[in-house]
């Protein structure tokens, strides 16, 4: 029997199930009589649809139906909804332009992979074969795929009713104050940088299984998601146009999400529509090539930034102007990601008197862009940390020294002086000092000298990141005890995508109720169980669920005290629940008279007015948390070939109180790898005609374990005051801090060749060209 609670490095309870092949992902789910759907997608980036001939496809072996945009329109189907379009306005107060994304394109396609027809057949192979027989006539139109080029004079316009490719022109901060500070500054550092586009590439491709039950006019969707309730609401209200109670969404195991599986995609309501039309379940599973062309992608910014400083290296102002690519359509939160998600975060962890950030979002003939791990926060951190490193060099200051001069000090916490962030806690200088010791910065000069003798270039780069995690929303939990298996059952509004939620929820329940691990069962997403759920994203899961579980367990215990009082012949006020301090028992205070939690559950089952022995919890998180930390990267480049390796990577993070160090280490390692993956080689490239050049793993580089050293990761636990546990989100932090540390190290290594700026990704070929074309600067 095992008990474990908060703070212990417990191994993941879900791992045995997953590594032994007992996980249950969407493609593992099958229903009797199911048919199979294949999506017909446009090979053109921009074209009018002038005709569709599906007769040969309909006559092919095993084909049950073929649906086009005309069929969807006649059935009264709606659209893919983007709530973010209603969240912000242009800087002049006017509404932003909203795209309309039909479930199946009717008269125009706007990116390669745009969906033009759905083929349903008895087998996947028959559906694939028939999809090749759907003949679509296209009238090619000019395309634009370049982010900054989308608003250049003469650029092809994707949405003619908008008149241009500008989705919105938004800003935050004081433009006049910032401009005045720049003009009066002793020194101004300027940067132009690209935050390159990323293909998400979750291990498990997207999939969906739709089932319509005509006898009760009810739909069920099985799909991988990051939260079932939001998906249910958007599909029901906007795609199918039905009451939300007529749709149930179920998500079991999910093989990676990273933001991309949060969103409604056309395939999800379409399998439900097809199931209703055909009277049988319909299943769709993407292959990897399809994922490259249909999953939302990440990042894709072009930015110009300036940092104003006085003669002592104190920051006077930060100015940032970004062109952000939304792709062909507004995805669910696409407009939110480059604007409201990182609002104010371009000041980092520094005291900044003035700031102005302007964002122009644009449409291009590319796959829609939306949240990718970190969702706007990595982009903002990259800007300020590249500026700080460059400014330090220009002012002949050590990179750590410039940061120290501008940190919000620990003595000022809590700190709330706009435009700086409203930190509730933190000790930035301590984290940086610890990271420098662990990275052996003092020994770097000797290592660099030794490397030079061996024909190698050595570089050291700093990054001090901060992330603002999600808040301002509510989450739910349910705890039920007993039933046929006699276990404690737990449901929450969060959805695991591999983070270890089952382990964390088990720890929270074990600590709260004093129950053995073997007696706790965590259930995954089902929109029928809870009234709502915030879904997983924004590094908020632990503090949201801990609050909801605390409320649910309090209500469960209160019910139990009443039953226990009756059984133990005592007043309810005299009944205590011992939990973690004495096991899962109710007791008469000051006596040895007790009754077990599970015995109470059995009694509850016999009482008609109680029935299920359960507690329903709700929690609202008002304040953000601000995880932060210092990343230091050391890189060695071969001077002849451009081949490089990361020799050291050190991170000292502040995640507040840590519930499970093993889970946190896994999240930090994964985040660092995804951040470094973007910096080292991941890059979604479109040609001038909107064709995805990097459309498979033959052309799209992915990081491997051998590309990285052992990460030196440690923590300073400085509790947050915004939640009862004192935790700060950890899931996205590594992705926020790593890219700038890597690029700063690269520039440090290449500075003898006159290199002051380099954009991600940095490949050996890019380095070889620099080394071959340049000469060392004296």
């Amino acid at each position: 029997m095992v008990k474990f609670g908060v703070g212990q490095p417990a191994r993941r309870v879900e791992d045995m199930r997953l590594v032994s092949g007992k996980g249950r992902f969407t493609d593992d789910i099958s229903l009797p009589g199911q048919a199979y759907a294949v999506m017909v997608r446009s090979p053109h980036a921009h074209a009018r649809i002038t005709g569709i001939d599906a007769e040969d496809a309909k006559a092919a072996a095993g084909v049950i139906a073929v649906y086009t945009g005309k069929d969807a329109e006649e059935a009264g189907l709606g659209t893919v909804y983007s709530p973010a379009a209603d969240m912000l306005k242009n800087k002049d107060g006017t509404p932003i332009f909203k795209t309309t994304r039909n479930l199946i394109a009717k008269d125009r396609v706007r990116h390669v992979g745009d969906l033009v027809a759905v083929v349903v057949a008895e087998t996947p192979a028959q559906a694939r074969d028939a999809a090749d027989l759907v003949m679509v006539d296209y009238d090619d139109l000019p395309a634009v795929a370049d982010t900054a080029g989308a608003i250049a004079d003469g650029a092809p316009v994707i949405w003619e009713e908008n008149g241009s490719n500008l989705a919105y022109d938004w800003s935050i901060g004081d433009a006049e104050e910032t401009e005045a500070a720049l003009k009066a500054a002793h020194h101004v550092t300027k940067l132009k940088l690209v935050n390159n586009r990323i293909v998400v590439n979750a291990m498990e491709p997207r999939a969906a299984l739709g089932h319509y039950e005509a006898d009760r006019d009810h739909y069920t969707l099985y799909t991988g998601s990051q939260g079932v309730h939001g998906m249910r609401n958007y599909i029901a209200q906007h795609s199918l146009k039905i009451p939300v109670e007529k749709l149930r969404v179920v998500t079991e195991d999910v093989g990676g999400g990273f933001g991309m599986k949060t969103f409604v995609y056309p395939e999800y309501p379409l399998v439900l529509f097809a199931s209703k039309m055909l009277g049988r379940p319909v299943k769709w599973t993407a292959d990897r090539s399809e994922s490259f062309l249909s999953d939302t992608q990440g990042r894709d910014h072009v930015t110009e930034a300036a940092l104003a400083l006085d003669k002592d290296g104190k920051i006077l102002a930060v100015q940032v102007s970004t062109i952000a690519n939304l792709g062909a359509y507004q995805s669910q939160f696409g407009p939110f990601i480059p604007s409201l998600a990182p609002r104010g975060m371009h000041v980092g962890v520094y005291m900044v008197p003035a700031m102005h950030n302007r964002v122009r979002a644009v449409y291009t003939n590319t796959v829609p862009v939306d949240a990718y791990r970190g969702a706007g926060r990595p982009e903002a951190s990259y800007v300020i940390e590249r500026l700080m490193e460059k400014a330090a060099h220009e002012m002949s200051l050590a990179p750590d020294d410039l940061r120290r001069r501008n940190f919000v000090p620990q003595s000022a916490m809590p700190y709330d002086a706009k435009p700086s962030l409203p930190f509730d806690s933190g000790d930035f200088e301590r984290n940086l000092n610890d990271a420098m010791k662990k990275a052996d910065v003092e020994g770097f000069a000797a290592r660099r000298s030794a490397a030079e003798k061996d024909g190698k270039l050595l570089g050291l780069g700093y990054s001090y990141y901060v992330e603002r995690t999600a808040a301002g929303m509510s989450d739910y939990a349910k705890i039920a005890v007993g039933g046929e298996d006699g276990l404690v059952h737990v449901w929450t509004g969060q959805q695991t995508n591999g983070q270890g939620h089952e382990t964390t929820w088990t720890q929270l329940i074990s600590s709260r109720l004093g129950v053995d691990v073997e007696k706790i069962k965590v259930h995954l997403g089902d929109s029928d169980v809870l009234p709502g759920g915030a879904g997983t994203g924004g590094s908020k899961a632990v503090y949201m669920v801990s609050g909801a579980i605390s409320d649910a367990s309090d209500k469960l215990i209160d019910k139990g005290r009443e039953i226990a009082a009756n059984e133990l012949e005592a007043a309810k006020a005299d009944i205590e629940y011992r939990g973690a301090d004495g096991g899962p028992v109710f007791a008469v205070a000051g006596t040895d008279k007790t009754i077990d939690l599970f015995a109470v559950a059995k009694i509850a089952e016999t009482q008609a007015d109680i029935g299920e022995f359960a507690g329903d919890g709700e929690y609202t998180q008002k304040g953000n948390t601000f995880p932060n930390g210092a990343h230091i990267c050391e890189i060695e480049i071969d001077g002849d070939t451009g081949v490089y390796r990361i020799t050291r990577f050190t991170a000292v993070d502040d995640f507040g109180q840590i519930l499970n160090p093993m889970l946190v280490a896994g999240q930090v390692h994964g985040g660092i790898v995804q951040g470094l993956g973007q910096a080292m080689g991941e890059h979604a490239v479109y040609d001038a005609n909107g064709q995805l050049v990097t459309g498979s793993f033959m052309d799209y580089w992915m990081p491997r374990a051998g590309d990285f050293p052992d990460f030196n990761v440690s923590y300073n636990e400085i509790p947050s005051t915004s939640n009862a546990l004192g935790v700060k989100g950890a899931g996205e932090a590594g992705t926020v801090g790593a890219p700038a540390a890597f690029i700063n190290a690269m520039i440090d290594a290449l500075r003898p060749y006159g290199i002051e700026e380099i954009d991600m990704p940095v490949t050996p070929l890019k380095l070889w060209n620099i080394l071959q074309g340049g000469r060392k600067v004296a």
Side-chain angles (χ1 to χ4, degrees), residues 204 212 222 238 263 278 425 427 651 659 695:
E204 178 202 15
Y212 176 74
Y222 301 88
H238 300 280
F263 318 121
L278 301 176
S425 65
D427 193 340
L659 303 190

PDB file of all heavy atoms in Angstrom, residues 204 212 222 238 263 278 425 427 651 659 695:
ATOM      1  N   GLU A 204       0.869  11.845 -31.539  1.00  0.00           N
ATOM      2  CA  GLU A 204      -0.393  11.278 -32.004  1.00  0.00           C
ATOM      3  C   GLU A 204      -1.065  12.243 -32.972  1.00  0.00           C
ATOM      4  O   GLU A 204      -1.385  13.371 -32.595  1.00  0.00           O
ATOM      5  CB  GLU A 204      -1.329  11.030 -30.812  1.00  0.00           C
ATOM      6  CG  GLU A 204      -2.690  10.491 -31.222  1.00  0.00           C
ATOM      7  CD  GLU A 204      -3.777  10.752 -30.171  1.00  0.00           C
ATOM      8  OE1 GLU A 204      -3.556  11.577 -29.261  1.00  0.00           O
ATOM      9  OE2 GLU A 204      -4.849  10.139 -30.285  1.00  0.00           O
ATOM     10  N   TYR A 212     -23.941   9.559 -34.075  1.00  0.00           N
ATOM     11  CA  TYR A 212     -25.246  10.194 -33.887  1.00  0.00           C
ATOM     12  C   TYR A 212     -26.276   9.126 -33.562  1.00  0.00           C
ATOM     13  O   TYR A 212     -26.378   8.110 -34.258  1.00  0.00           O
ATOM     14  CB  TYR A 212     -25.674  10.947 -35.145  1.00  0.00           C
ATOM     15  CG  TYR A 212     -27.063  11.538 -35.046  1.00  0.00           C
ATOM     16  CD1 TYR A 212     -27.303  12.662 -34.266  1.00  0.00           C
ATOM     17  CD2 TYR A 212     -28.133  10.952 -35.720  1.00  0.00           C
ATOM     18  CE1 TYR A 212     -28.582  13.196 -34.164  1.00  0.00           C
ATOM     19  CE2 TYR A 212     -29.404  11.489 -35.628  1.00  0.00           C
ATOM     20  CZ  TYR A 212     -29.627  12.609 -34.849  1.00  0.00           C
ATOM     21  OH  TYR A 212     -30.893  13.139 -34.746  1.00  0.00           O
ATOM     22  N   TYR A 222     -15.724  11.462 -30.117  1.00  0.00           N
ATOM     23  CA  TYR A 222     -14.492  11.015 -29.474  1.00  0.00           C
ATOM     24  C   TYR A 222     -13.332  11.662 -30.224  1.00  0.00           C
ATOM     25  O   TYR A 222     -13.187  11.472 -31.445  1.00  0.00           O
ATOM     26  CB  TYR A 222     -14.354   9.493 -29.546  1.00  0.00           C
ATOM     27  CG  TYR A 222     -15.493   8.736 -28.900  1.00  0.00           C
ATOM     28  CD1 TYR A 222     -16.639   8.404 -29.626  1.00  0.00           C
ATOM     29  CD2 TYR A 222     -15.429   8.348 -27.569  1.00  0.00           C
ATOM     30  CE1 TYR A 222     -17.691   7.712 -29.040  1.00  0.00           C
ATOM     31  CE2 TYR A 222     -16.473   7.638 -26.968  1.00  0.00           C
ATOM     32  CZ  TYR A 222     -17.602   7.332 -27.712  1.00  0.00           C
ATOM     33  OH  TYR A 222     -18.636   6.645 -27.126  1.00  0.00           O
ATOM     34  N   HIS A 238     -21.810  26.658 -32.900  1.00  0.00           N
ATOM     35  CA  HIS A 238     -21.404  27.367 -34.111  1.00  0.00           C
ATOM     36  C   HIS A 238     -21.253  26.475 -35.344  1.00  0.00           C
ATOM     37  O   HIS A 238     -21.424  26.963 -36.459  1.00  0.00           O
ATOM     38  CB  HIS A 238     -20.082  28.099 -33.858  1.00  0.00           C
ATOM     39  CG  HIS A 238     -20.176  29.105 -32.764  1.00  0.00           C
ATOM     40  ND1 HIS A 238     -20.706  30.358 -32.955  1.00  0.00           N
ATOM     41  CD2 HIS A 238     -19.835  29.050 -31.453  1.00  0.00           C
ATOM     42  CE1 HIS A 238     -20.686  31.035 -31.818  1.00  0.00           C
ATOM     43  NE2 HIS A 238     -20.160  30.262 -30.882  1.00  0.00           N
ATOM     44  N   PHE A 263      -8.093  23.211 -30.312  1.00  0.00           N
ATOM     45  CA  PHE A 263      -9.004  23.914 -31.219  1.00  0.00           C
ATOM     46  C   PHE A 263      -9.973  22.979 -31.931  1.00  0.00           C
ATOM     47  O   PHE A 263      -9.716  21.809 -32.162  1.00  0.00           O
ATOM     48  CB  PHE A 263      -8.186  24.687 -32.256  1.00  0.00           C
ATOM     49  CG  PHE A 263      -7.000  25.380 -31.657  1.00  0.00           C
ATOM     50  CD1 PHE A 263      -5.719  25.100 -32.082  1.00  0.00           C
ATOM     51  CD2 PHE A 263      -7.173  26.278 -30.611  1.00  0.00           C
ATOM     52  CE1 PHE A 263      -4.625  25.709 -31.505  1.00  0.00           C
ATOM     53  CE2 PHE A 263      -6.092  26.893 -30.022  1.00  0.00           C
ATOM     54  CZ  PHE A 263      -4.813  26.607 -30.468  1.00  0.00           C
ATOM     55  N   LEU A 278     -25.757   9.214 -42.334  1.00  0.00           N
ATOM     56  CA  LEU A 278     -25.616   7.814 -42.737  1.00  0.00           C
ATOM     57  C   LEU A 278     -26.197   6.827 -41.723  1.00  0.00           C
ATOM     58  O   LEU A 278     -26.321   5.631 -42.021  1.00  0.00           O
ATOM     59  CB  LEU A 278     -24.136   7.482 -42.968  1.00  0.00           C
ATOM     60  CG  LEU A 278     -23.430   8.319 -44.042  1.00  0.00           C
ATOM     61  CD1 LEU A 278     -21.958   7.973 -44.106  1.00  0.00           C
ATOM     62  CD2 LEU A 278     -24.101   8.118 -45.398  1.00  0.00           C
ATOM     63  N   SER A 425       5.688  37.669  -6.388  1.00  0.00           N
ATOM     64  CA  SER A 425       6.857  37.146  -5.692  1.00  0.00           C
ATOM     65  C   SER A 425       7.949  36.880  -6.717  1.00  0.00           C
ATOM     66  O   SER A 425       7.703  36.819  -7.920  1.00  0.00           O
ATOM     67  CB  SER A 425       6.513  35.847  -4.954  1.00  0.00           C
ATOM     68  OG  SER A 425       6.174  34.815  -5.872  1.00  0.00           O
ATOM     69  N   ASP A 427      12.677  36.265  -6.947  1.00  0.00           N
ATOM     70  CA  ASP A 427      14.031  36.711  -6.601  1.00  0.00           C
ATOM     71  C   ASP A 427      14.920  36.444  -7.808  1.00  0.00           C
ATOM     72  O   ASP A 427      15.621  35.439  -7.886  1.00  0.00           O
ATOM     73  CB  ASP A 427      14.541  35.975  -5.359  1.00  0.00           C
ATOM     74  CG  ASP A 427      15.799  36.619  -4.787  1.00  0.00           C
ATOM     75  OD1 ASP A 427      16.474  37.355  -5.536  1.00  0.00           O
ATOM     76  OD2 ASP A 427      16.120  36.371  -3.610  1.00  0.00           O
ATOM     77  N   ALA A 651      19.650  25.649 -16.199  1.00  0.00           N
ATOM     78  CA  ALA A 651      18.414  26.385 -15.901  1.00  0.00           C
ATOM     79  C   ALA A 651      18.163  26.367 -14.405  1.00  0.00           C
ATOM     80  O   ALA A 651      18.192  25.301 -13.778  1.00  0.00           O
ATOM     81  CB  ALA A 651      17.230  25.774 -16.639  1.00  0.00           C
ATOM     82  N   LEU A 659       5.141  20.372  -6.498  1.00  0.00           N
ATOM     83  CA  LEU A 659       4.368  19.237  -6.002  1.00  0.00           C
ATOM     84  C   LEU A 659       5.069  17.914  -6.255  1.00  0.00           C
ATOM     85  O   LEU A 659       4.976  16.990  -5.448  1.00  0.00           O
ATOM     86  CB  LEU A 659       2.981  19.212  -6.654  1.00  0.00           C
ATOM     87  CG  LEU A 659       2.117  20.465  -6.489  1.00  0.00           C
ATOM     88  CD1 LEU A 659       0.699  20.178  -6.969  1.00  0.00           C
ATOM     89  CD2 LEU A 659       2.097  20.939  -5.050  1.00  0.00           C
ATOM     90  N   GLY A 695       7.133  19.720 -46.016  1.00  0.00           N
ATOM     91  CA  GLY A 695       5.857  19.053 -45.778  1.00  0.00           C
ATOM     92  C   GLY A 695       5.962  17.649 -45.250  1.00  0.00           C
ATOM     93  O   GLY A 695       4.950  16.933 -45.200  1.00  0.00           O
TER      94      GLY A 695
END
